[in-house]
Amino acid sequence: MEIPTVTTFNPTTDNKTTRWSVKGILIAGGLTLSITTTHAAEITTDPGDYVPLPAGSNLGLLYLQHASRDSVYSNGDQLPGEAGLDTHIGLARFIHYLDIGGYTVNPQVILPFGKVDLTSPFGPLEPESSTGIGDPMIGATAWLVNNPDQQQWFGLSAFASIPFGQYDSHKGPVNVGENRWKGIFQAGYVTGLSDHFMLDLIGEYAVYGDNDDFFNTRLEQNDSQSLQAHLRYLISPQTHVALSYYHAFGGETTVGGVDQDDALNTNRWQATFSTFVQPTLQLQAQYGQDIDVENGFKEDQRFNLRLAKVF
């Protein structure tokens, strides 16, 4: 199947228009519809994620995420015409904390699921929808610094995304699975600023395998990076609020050997309220949106809910 031309652009046959035609299709579908967050990071952290539980603890988490988008950008300019992309995503996550040679380590598995809707397509593309199980992730964080008394923590994380999720080549980017391997690496530092304020700083680096069945051609992607920051205010030992900032960049793609000129440069904010409704049961609610987008869909709003059970 050939990639159709996007009628938003002038239908000529030179290399520039061919590149833009493919790019328009990718942007229309959102491209990185990984189960984390479309334009923030491959693994979007929450406030407090890099503060470990004691060794021997288990943590089960259920995430529910809804995000809506109705504007698309290319090289910083909004494209004409109507377009919409909605994602309804869930994640089931299990984490176990243990001690290895005096260091806390938390092996874990993440299983995504959900639905992706391209509600207002470009040009000749029909509305597309995908539902199912996404690509599972396995990985762990190892804490090199774990000092609760001084309120300082530093951890290194590594994850692998395994291409077992639901994928249909003819839907291209409008899929829950991605049909490729990914490696995600993070470093996270947390420090106390006062009795009530905490600062979390996280850097991420992601590498991508090829998707060799993307509209019957090959999709390649350059490495991407993300910076994430959370400023938390501790209302009580059980409750906190936070303001987060996410910046993603890099990750330009090539389709069938043609560069797409679609590198990410996205900024997003998010607010969090989190509280323990029982001694071992935490409820978290979040709202956020994109600030600006260089390439791709711009999120109008995002709602996240998270339920965490310690056992």
Side-chain angles (χ1 to χ4, degrees):
M1 175 182 177
E2 295 182 354
I3 301 177
T5 301
V6 181
T7 56
T8 303
F9 306 104
N10 294 326
T12 65
T13 57
D14 61 20
N15 290 335
K16 181 177 180 181
T17 302
T18 301
R19 183 185 73 235
W20 281 102
S21 297
V22 176
K23 179 181 177 182
I25 295 293
L26 296 181
I27 292 175
L31 184 58
T32 311
L33 295 181
S34 56
I35 301 302
T36 50
T37 178
T38 304
H39 302 301
E42 289 297 341
I43 296 182
T44 302
T45 61
D46 288 328
D49 276 2
Y50 271 89
V51 177
L53 295 179
S57 302
N58 295 302
L59 185 60
L61 302 108
L62 177 65
Y63 300 78
L64 298 174
Q65 307 171 352
H66 168 77
S68 60
R69 312 159 185 87
D70 61 11
S71 57
V72 187
Y73 288 78
S74 176
N75 292 333
D77 296 323
Q78 185 174 349
L79 299 183
E82 295 183 358
L85 178 69
D86 293 338
T87 51
H88 320 274
I89 300 303
L91 295 133
R93 187 175 190 177
F94 173 77
I95 306 173
H96 176 67
Y97 294 83
L98 69 159
D99 184 279
I100 299 179
Y103 295 97
T104 300
V105 181
N106 72 345
Q108 56 188 282
V109 60
I110 304 170
L111 181 63
F113 56 92
K115 183 179 182 182
V116 176
D117 289 314
L118 181 62
T119 55
S120 299
F122 284 96
L125 281 179
E126 295 297 325
E128 287 284 9
S129 180
S130 223
T131 303
I133 303 297
D135 297 335
M137 292 184 182
I138 57 173
T141 299
W143 275 268
L144 306 183
V145 176
N146 184 5
N147 194 336
D149 292 337
Q150 298 297 320
Q151 290 191 317
Q152 286 192 330
W153 298 267
F154 176 73
L156 297 176
S157 304
F159 290 86
S161 176
I162 306 169
F164 287 164
Q166 187 81 24
Y167 182 79
D168 182 345
S169 171
H170 297 101
K171 293 184 178 181
V174 189
N175 272 291
V176 181
E178 295 187 59
N179 192 42
R180 62 177 180 175
W181 291 83
K182 293 189 297 187
I184 302 114
F185 308 94
Q186 290 185 339
Y189 174 71
V190 182
T191 185
L193 302 178
S194 69
D195 290 341
H196 290 280
F197 282 99
M198 304 284 290
L199 178 65
D200 306 33
L201 300 173
I202 297 95
E204 179 188 271
Y205 193 91
V207 298
Y208 304 90
D210 295 347
N211 179 351
D212 58 3
D213 193 18
F214 184 84
F215 286 130
N216 292 332
T217 188
R218 180 179 295 273
L219 167 69
E220 303 170 85
Q221 186 168 6
N222 293 340
D223 301 348
S224 68
Q225 299 81 42
S226 172
L227 299 175
Q228 309 176 42
H230 312 289
L231 181 62
R232 283 182 287 156
Y233 178 75
L234 308 179
I235 299 173
S236 72
Q238 295 78 30
T239 303
H240 70 257
V241 294
L243 185 62
S244 300
Y245 170 76
Y246 303 89
H247 180 206
F249 49 99
E252 183 177 0
T253 62
T254 300
V255 177
V258 180
D259 293 339
Q260 299 305 299
D261 190 26
D262 60 352
L264 291 175
N265 187 7
T266 301
N267 299 277
R268 182 169 69 89
W269 69 270
Q270 186 166 276
T272 298
F273 173 80
S274 182
T275 188
F276 278 90
V277 294
Q278 296 178 5
T280 61
L281 186 64
Q282 185 191 54
L283 180 63
Q284 177 174 280
Q286 297 173 316
Y287 175 83
Q289 58 183 206
D290 284 341
I291 301 170
D292 58 70
V293 172
E294 184 75 14
N295 288 297
F297 268 99
K298 184 176 182 180
E299 270 189 8
D300 301 310
Q301 55 185 0
R302 160 180 293 269
F303 299 95
N304 296 338
L305 290 176
R306 189 188 78 176
L307 189 66
K309 174 66 176 178
V310 182
F311 57 98

